[in-house]
Amino acid sequence: MKYAPTKSAHVAILCAALSSLAAGAPTSHIHARQGCEAPYQRIDGAYEGHYMVEVAEGYTLDDHFKYLGGAFAVEVFWMKGVDIYVFDSGIAHLDEFKTADGVDRVVDELDMSDELSFEDLDGHGTKVATAIGGATRGIARAATLRSVKITQNNRPHSAVFVRALQVIIRRHIERAKSSDFRGSVCNFSLDLHTSAMAVKTIKWANAAGITMIAAAGNHGYYTRHFPSSDPLVISVGAMQEDYKPWKARGTIYSSNYGKNEVAVWAPGAGLQLFTNTGAPTIGSAGTSFATGYVSGIYALFYGNERLN
């Protein structure tokens, strides 16, 4: 039986990918990322553990932070067998999620919300999906985006999350029998109360070969945020343009952190995404969207290598 990677797995690969996918900066122009330990904050407020980026002459750190662009300007045919389950508020069916020949890549997979509709009334899930696999502003531009709506009273609900994940595990197992299947990724850009059943279900998903990526949270503390704190889930922090953990100016919001807690850091400030109405954003920020980028990166690996 194959197990999906955990918090410590593939971190070096992801760091290399995140450093190499610069807008207008081909992979061949990037020399190395010197180490891959995520930054964490000491009691005195200083940050430690920052990895460094060595870039070729003429490129800047900002080039590498804003890594979307030419590297993903086309759909990649081998991404079509990858399923990305977006546990969130729903995904709007926008042109951003259509293939070049007009096929909608958003699948209304499972609605367990109290709204009794797949419609994304909040907009959060659509912005996350844009980061994951938007045709112009995302990573996995040919993957299938499967909407798993689990909101209750406009919030993700722990018991609903457990039931939904159990359903998705069974569907993943059936999908894996198909010859064109390449892998499953679950994106959890949410915060839940932990429970013994939630932990057990995550173990079941991992054993089935599903990779789970979760937001570290936006509270600015040493994270015990669930489900990102589960050892079988890849926890993603948000970084800003100076490669320090993201902190929103004039607010209490900032990325959670923690050595051995946050496995991967990804861009999480000033992001260009799409709302549920199709309107573009120019300043979206937070670990939810950083998580979307990392889910897209994992989907790229699974599409190419069939790592699941």
Side-chain angles (χ1 to χ4, degrees):
M1 180 177 291
K2 293 185 178 181
Y3 289 81
T6 59
K7 212 177 285 289
S8 61
H10 296 330
V11 174
I13 298 174
L14 280 168
C15 286
L18 287 170
S19 69
S20 66
L21 303 178
T27 303
S28 60
H29 287 276
I30 295 165
H31 296 173
R33 188 182 281 277
Q34 306 290 347
C36 291
E37 184 177 351
Y40 67 98
Q41 193 174 39
R42 300 197 312 244
I43 294 175
D44 62 6
Y47 290 103
E48 294 183 348
H50 277 285
Y51 41 74
M52 296 183 296
V53 181
E54 180 185 350
V55 301
E57 183 178 355
Y59 290 88
T60 67
L61 286 179
D62 186 65
D63 288 330
H64 292 76
F65 178 80
K66 299 180 185 303
Y67 58 85
L68 300 181
F72 297 104
V74 296
E75 298 169 14
V76 185
F77 71 91
W78 39 255
M79 289 295 300
K80 293 181 179 179
V82 180
D83 295 327
I84 305 175
Y85 296 93
V86 184
F87 285 63
D88 217 292
S89 61
I91 305 174
H93 291 264
L94 306 178
D95 289 342
E96 176 71 2
F97 303 126
K98 293 181 179 179
T99 64
D101 54 0
V103 177
D104 190 355
R105 292 183 292 115
V106 174
V107 174
D108 292 331
E109 183 72 28
L110 182 65
D111 176 25
M112 301 190 80
S113 72
D114 57 1
E115 296 168 356
L116 303 178
S117 167
F118 280 102
E119 185 179 359
D120 182 12
L121 300 178
D122 177 83
H124 185 270
T126 299
K127 288 193 285 186
V128 169
T130 303
I132 295 171
T136 64
R137 300 184 179 184
I139 301 291
R141 300 186 174 190
T144 302
L145 303 169
R146 298 185 177 272
S147 176
V148 181
K149 189 171 178 178
I150 60 168
T151 48
Q152 299 279 325
N153 295 321
N154 298 316
R155 290 278 302 166
H157 190 278
S158 295
V160 175
F161 166 83
V162 170
R163 295 197 300 271
L165 183 55
Q166 290 171 348
V167 172
I168 295 308
I169 293 168
R170 291 191 288 269
R171 293 185 182 181
H172 158 81
I173 291 171
E174 288 302 310
R175 283 276 296 126
K177 298 176 183 178
S178 174
S179 61
D180 64 349
F181 175 77
R182 291 182 178 269
S184 292
V185 176
C186 283
N187 187 98
F188 304 146
S189 292
L190 43 79
D191 181 10
L192 300 168
H193 295 294
T194 186
S195 68
M197 183 55 68
V199 171
K200 182 178 180 180
T201 305
I202 285 173
K203 288 182 179 178
W204 181 22
N206 177 262
I210 298 174
T211 294
M212 293 163 284
I213 320 288
N218 301 328
H219 309 298
Y221 54 65
Y222 194 99
T223 185
R224 284 294 183 270
H225 191 270
F226 186 82
S228 69
S229 60
D230 189 284
L232 299 179
V233 175
I234 308 297
S235 178
V236 182
M239 63 183 178
Q240 54 197 31
E241 289 89 339
D242 60 2
Y243 285 81
K244 292 180 180 179
W246 161 71
K247 180 174 178 59
R249 295 177 182 176
T251 76
I252 62 172
Y253 299 110
S254 59
S255 179
N256 287 359
Y257 54 86
K259 185 179 182 182
N260 300 324
E261 292 293 333
V262 176
V264 180
W265 293 79
L271 305 175
Q272 298 180 2
L273 304 172
F274 282 102
T275 69
N276 53 346
T277 65
T281 72
I282 57 174
S284 295
T287 58
S288 287
F289 314 121
T291 301
Y293 290 134
V294 175
S295 291
I297 293 289
Y298 268 93
L300 284 176
F301 287 132
Y302 290 158
N304 188 37
E305 302 292 343
R306 299 193 182 215
L307 296 180
N308 259 8

